[in-house]
Amino acid sequence: MTPRTTPDTEPVFELVEQDEIGYETTHVDAFMARAREARDGGAPLTAEEVRQARFATVNGGYATDEVDDELDRLEEELAAAERQAFVAERGDEDWAADLEERVAELVARADRAPAERFRRPSRADAVSYDVDQVDALVDRLRVTLAGAEDSTDPDAEGGLTADDVRRAAFSEAEGAAGYEEGQVDAYLDAAVDVLLRRA
């Protein structure tokens, strides 16, 4: 891979070979420039905006694992700053209450019957997520959030981190045979947010 620096020389990402897929460099550079501006007092950037960042893929772009690692680091930095700001304004008790409410919402969905936790696509040709694989992750997430002693599945393995959820991948299903991708993605984004808040 070829070294490449973004504007202002920070951060540095490798370029993959021309026959390999990477992130479009101009898109990544623009986002990282915005992050630096926010750090220097410009328009604020939130942890959620970092988590939602998506880049086009091209041959010979930035190495995706390096960019993803930098985004994870930035998201965690912003989440910590947001927690500090919240606690400074409203106190630890309000923070704990807000977190408890978010956890309860995630656990409530996880408590639904397997294969009934998320919507099914209405279009028969829509790409969807494998139900069993999503349910297995949700079972683990429930153990992580609520504790093994409160689990509906005592055999489920817990101990998930925000990074585990970020990197989760599921096989494709078709139409109503699988879960709707958008709803599952939104749930997992909320789970990452909670896991970072608990860190």
Side-chain angles (χ1 to χ4, degrees):
M1 292 191 292
T2 306
R4 162 78 183 267
T5 58
T6 60
D8 300 333
T9 71
E10 179 196 11
V12 178
F13 302 115
E14 297 283 342
L15 289 170
V16 299
E17 302 298 332
Q18 282 300 315
D19 61 349
E20 298 178 321
I21 297 296
Y23 287 138
E24 167 60 55
T25 59
T26 58
H27 295 179
V28 176
D29 289 347
F31 188 85
M32 294 303 173
R34 183 186 170 200
R36 286 192 297 277
E37 289 171 7
R39 188 181 298 139
D40 293 338
L45 182 67
T46 67
E48 182 178 3
E49 287 175 302
V50 175
R51 187 163 57 253
Q52 298 291 339
R54 301 290 184 270
F55 308 114
T57 54
V58 295
N59 286 342
Y62 284 143
T64 57
D65 57 342
E66 291 190 8
V67 176
D68 289 343
D69 286 346
E70 176 62 19
L71 291 175
D72 293 348
R73 186 203 62 75
L74 180 59
E75 181 187 0
E76 289 164 11
E77 175 185 303
L78 290 169
E82 289 165 12
R83 175 175 182 167
Q84 281 187 326
F86 186 105
V87 170
E89 180 180 348
R90 296 175 53 180
D92 286 320
E93 289 186 6
D94 277 1
W95 174 266
D98 181 71
L99 180 57
E100 183 177 352
E101 182 178 338
R102 291 168 187 259
V103 169
E105 290 174 359
L106 293 172
V107 170
R109 183 172 292 274
D111 280 342
R112 295 182 183 183
E116 297 180 10
R117 288 168 172 158
F118 301 97
R119 286 192 300 265
R120 305 302 181 100
S122 56
R123 286 185 16 247
D125 61 346
V127 176
S128 52
Y129 287 141
D130 181 276
V131 169
D132 291 339
Q133 292 176 7
V134 173
D135 279 347
L137 182 71
V138 171
D139 285 339
R140 291 187 62 194
L141 183 60
R142 194 199 186 288
V143 174
T144 300
L145 294 174
E149 70 281 356
D150 190 35
S151 175
T152 56
D153 179 5
D155 296 323
E157 179 186 1
L160 288 174
T161 66
D163 198 50
D164 292 329
V165 179
R166 288 184 186 116
R167 301 290 184 261
F170 311 108
S171 299
E172 288 186 359
E174 188 171 344
Y179 283 140
E180 184 180 281
E181 289 184 339
Q183 192 178 33
V184 174
D185 289 343
Y187 179 84
L188 296 183
D189 281 346
V192 169
D193 180 63
V194 163
L195 292 170
L196 289 175
R197 287 168 177 263
R198 291 177 66 170

